[in-house]
Amino acid sequence: MIRNVICLYLLMVGGFAQAHEEFGCPYPSTIRYVEGFFLTSDMRLPWQSSKVQHRDFVDRFIGAIFIPEKDQERENGRLDKCVYRTCSGQSVALRPGKADVVEAFSLTSTLHWQIAKDPLEQEVYICQDSQPDNCAFTLSKPRL
């Protein structure tokens, strides 16, 4: 009986953890150039850039942009991109590659996310830090 209760508890905790798993932008050392794209091999949340013309190495993390679904809401929105600088000084943006699986992102309680306005006067959250983990977010509302 006790074993059944423990197993049930572990299943419940595991299911909840998967529904709200915390992530950060990928570290530059995990990003590779493959056939015209910068990408990561993280199977939990793969990342990919737009097609690029030059083969290069990602040198450093610059920051990230989160677009809230409405107003300044932190609990429901879309992580637009994580931005990096290459060794040759070019900017490259990586976007999460599981848009078909995840309906929404949420920002964590970190103070690194600051509200700002984009060039079109839309309110966005910007995280500018040298450590990708400081620009943390969670995946929420998985599609069934």
Side-chain angles (χ1 to χ4, degrees), residues 11-38:
L11 284 173
M12 288 174 42
V13 170
F16 180 75
Q18 288 178 347
H20 296 286
E21 191 171 359
E22 186 171 312
F23 290 91
C25 289
Y27 274 86
S29 61
T30 65
I31 301 169
R32 304 282 183 255
Y33 179 86
V34 178
E35 298 178 9
F37 298 93
F38 287 103

Side-chain angles (χ1 to χ4, degrees), residues 13 29 37 59 67 78 103-104 120:
V13 170
S29 61
F37 298 93
D59 184 43
I67 300 173
R78 179 173 53 88
E103 234 175 75
L120 299 174

Side-chain angles (χ1 to χ4, degrees), residues 45-64:
L45 183 63
W47 296 80
Q48 183 173 330
S49 72
S50 300
K51 184 120 174 115
V52 293
Q53 300 300 320
H54 57 284
R55 182 177 189 91
D56 206 346
F57 293 97
V58 172
D59 184 43
R60 64 186 165 108
F61 175 71
I62 296 173

Side-chain angles (χ1 to χ4, degrees), residues 1 10-11 14 18-19 22 34 46 48 63 74 76 85 89-90 92 96 98 100 102 108 118 122 127 137:
M1 176 68 181
L10 291 175
L11 284 173
Q18 288 178 347
E22 186 171 312
V34 178
Q48 183 173 330
R74 295 174 61 98
N76 192 19
R85 182 90 50 211
Q90 300 292 319
V92 62
K98 276 194 174 179
D100 59 329
V102 178
T108 60
D118 71 3
Q122 178 181 358
C127 180
F137 56 90

Side-chain angles (χ1 to χ4, degrees), residues 116-140:
K117 292 211 183 248
D118 71 3
L120 299 174
E121 297 298 313
Q122 178 181 358
E123 288 187 330
V124 297
Y125 281 92
I126 296 177
C127 180
Q128 293 177 301
D129 196 86
S130 61
Q131 294 297 316
D133 287 341
N134 289 337
C135 298
F137 56 90
T138 57
L139 300 179
S140 57

